[in-house]
Amino acid sequence: MSAIYPWIKALHVASVIAWMAGMFYLPRLYVYHCDLTPGSSESERFKVMERRLFKQIINPAMMASWAFGLTMALTPGVLNWRADHWWHVKLAAVLLMAGFHGALSRWRKDFLEDRNRRPARFYRIANEVPTILMLIIVTMVIVRPF
Ligand code: HEM
């Protein structure tokens, strides 16, 4: 393991923080967006906020998290791909997180085209998904229970 390994890990954690910040905040914007009249200036302002958060923060932060994370995962000696079950669980949770990212992208397009029909309650519940996945991921990488 080279001297730059801890730097890659630091960049991984930093980009993960940015990714998670966006994953927690975007569904919140959708909750508030539900109450706005389509076509109103407020609704249009939310569309701009949603686009910027998604394209300028969430997307690049997710790509950086994957790039640094996979660099570490492929570094010889870091993982035992067969025996580290915590890693399998983390990978599954991270893939679900990426799936949730895809759902956020589809929901954003619904708002963008004024065709969202889901109630605020839906987005309030959806908001808990990244929280639960994040708790699983952090437990796996830090506690490594199995
Ligand atoms: C995007 C795909 C991801 C991949 C491929 C990945 C992979 C990895 C790998 C291989 C390590 C190094 C473990 C070690 O050196 O022992 C690591 C560390 C870490 N990951 Fe990820 N990860 C990803 C996403 C995430 C996410 C979404 C979170 C948080 C929600 C996260 C939180 C962490 C933390 C906190 C550490 C540092 C743990 C320590 O101190 O050893 N990762 N990750």
Side-chain angles (χ1 to χ4, degrees), residues 14-142:
S15 43
V16 152
I17 289 172
W19 183 21
M20 290 305 108
M23 297 294 279
F24 296 144
Y25 195 50
L26 192 54
R28 274 275 109 205
L29 286 178
Y30 296 164
V31 169
Y32 303 134
H33 201 157
C34 282
D35 295 335
L36 306 177
T37 314
S40 65
S41 61
E42 266 188 310
S43 170
E44 294 306 306
R45 189 144 19 97
F46 266 71
K47 289 180 188 178
V48 174
M49 290 193 287
E50 287 155 4
R51 189 188 69 233
R52 289 193 181 148
L53 182 60
F54 195 74
K55 299 219 157 159
Q56 294 173 14
I57 309 282
I58 298 181
N59 273 351
M62 181 184 72
M63 286 190 280
S65 304
W66 274 105
F68 295 126
L70 287 178
T71 304
M72 292 189 294
L74 297 172
T75 302
V78 170
L79 296 174
N80 183 336
W81 283 73
R82 278 186 184 203
D84 288 343
H85 297 303
W86 63 269
W87 164 248
H88 302 144
V89 178
K90 172 177 172 163
L91 193 60
V94 165
L95 288 171
L96 288 173
M97 190 77 85
F100 188 73
H101 174 272
L104 286 179
S105 169
R106 282 195 302 281
W107 299 336
R108 190 180 75 79
K109 293 213 174 86
D110 288 342
F111 280 108
L112 186 66
E113 290 161 17
D114 294 325
R115 55 179 162 76
N116 170 62
R117 299 287 174 268
R118 295 177 203 88
R121 210 176 104 78
F122 173 86
Y123 294 109
R124 244 187 223 116
I125 295 167
N127 210 175
E128 304 305 327
V129 172
T131 312
I132 293 163
L133 292 175
M134 177 272 288
L135 286 171
I136 294 171
I137 293 168
V138 171
T139 305
M140 290 307 124
V141 284
I142 306 288

